[in-house]
Amino acid sequence: MADKKLILAVDDDASVCDLYEAGLPALGYEVVCASSAGKAREALKKRRPDAILMDIMMSDQDGISLTRDIRSDAATADIPIIVVSGLADAATLDDALRFGAADYLVKPVDVAILKTKLERALQLKKK
């Protein structure tokens, strides 16, 4: 069997991380949760994920600027990032995509839609 794809989930809401940790392994993914941008940076240094799920509103750094930082680093620039946020306005969506997100999902998370978006992002990365 192929190795499970590693997903780095960045979200400061423990219940969202619990959802990822419960749902993603059932879909065949391994998941590591980071509760802040700083912890996400630490996780990226330890192990390179196949994709990142990124919250926008966090206490230490917003997810859009963290996405921009990840995109500007040659070591992480090609990792697909799916922004997952409670913000559904067009300006936020536009910013997320402009600064490098591959896709956008509005909370509450529908696991079936998340699975589809992850599969698509991982397929695009292969190409």
Side-chain angles (χ1 to χ4, degrees):
M1 185 173 129
D3 290 331
K4 288 184 176 183
K5 299 288 186 191
L6 176 65
I7 308 301
L8 172 61
V10 186
D11 201 304
D12 59 355
D13 183 336
S15 67
V16 174
C17 274
D18 290 346
L19 171 80
Y20 291 147
E21 289 173 335
L24 290 174
L27 299 175
Y29 297 105
E30 182 180 351
V31 63
V32 171
C33 273
S35 60
S36 67
K39 289 182 179 179
R41 290 178 197 285
E42 290 173 22
L44 284 167
K45 289 177 186 171
K46 291 179 187 172
R47 194 165 162 212
R48 181 183 163 86
D50 295 290
I52 299 171
L53 299 175
M54 179 75 70
D55 186 24
I56 290 181
M57 296 183 347
M58 296 182 288
S59 59
D60 60 339
Q61 180 182 6
D62 70 89
I64 291 175
S65 64
L66 180 56
T67 296
R68 184 186 58 228
D69 293 349
I70 290 168
R71 285 283 167 261
S72 66
D73 182 339
T76 57
D78 67 330
I79 300 170
I81 299 172
I82 299 172
V83 169
V84 183
S85 178
L87 302 173
D89 61 284
T92 304
L93 170 60
D94 184 58
D95 283 349
L97 297 174
R98 185 168 358 113
F99 288 110
D103 210 335
Y104 192 96
L105 182 62
V106 177
K107 292 178 184 175
V109 174
D110 178 312
V111 176
I113 293 172
L114 177 59
K115 178 180 188 242
T116 300
K117 289 183 179 278
L118 274 170
E119 288 172 351
R120 184 174 23 202
L122 292 167
Q123 282 299 108
L124 288 173
K125 181 183 173 194
K126 283 183 184 177
K127 294 177 183 179

